[in-house]
Amino acid sequence: IQAAVALYHLERGNSHGAMKLLQGSRRYLKAFRPTYLGLDVDRFLASLERFVERTLAGRPSAAEAPPEIRIAHPSTPNTT
């Protein structure tokens, strides 16, 4: 939730709020590094930080979308 709100603040032009929540995201997710339940936490945080920093620097890449949460190996129940 912290990461999503950081992106919201970034979108609204609140750079201070975006950075504060980015720091909170790092702090909260630290205990779940490097991966947790299929989420590559390190990759997600790196992507989030890169996106926020480039946007704040006025260098957002048109090809770079905001970070997405991707589960590497979702657990699926065995139905056979």
Side-chain angles (χ1 to χ4, degrees), residues 50-67:
R50 183 174 51 251
F51 183 79
V52 169
E53 289 169 2
R54 285 184 180 177
T55 301
L56 290 176
R59 300 180 281 119
S61 168
E64 186 175 15

Side-chain angles (χ1 to χ4, degrees), residues 11-48:
E11 183 179 274
R12 308 285 287 172
N14 180 358
S15 59
H16 177 75
M19 290 305 293
K20 192 161 182 81
L21 286 159
L22 176 60
Q23 292 168 355
S25 295
R26 281 190 221 126
R27 190 173 51 253
Y28 284 117
L29 292 173
K30 185 178 181 179
F32 300 100
R33 293 178 64 214
T35 60
Y36 184 73
L37 296 177
L39 173 64
D40 186 337
V41 176
D42 285 342
R43 178 181 238 169
F44 173 74
L45 285 173
S47 176
L48 177 65

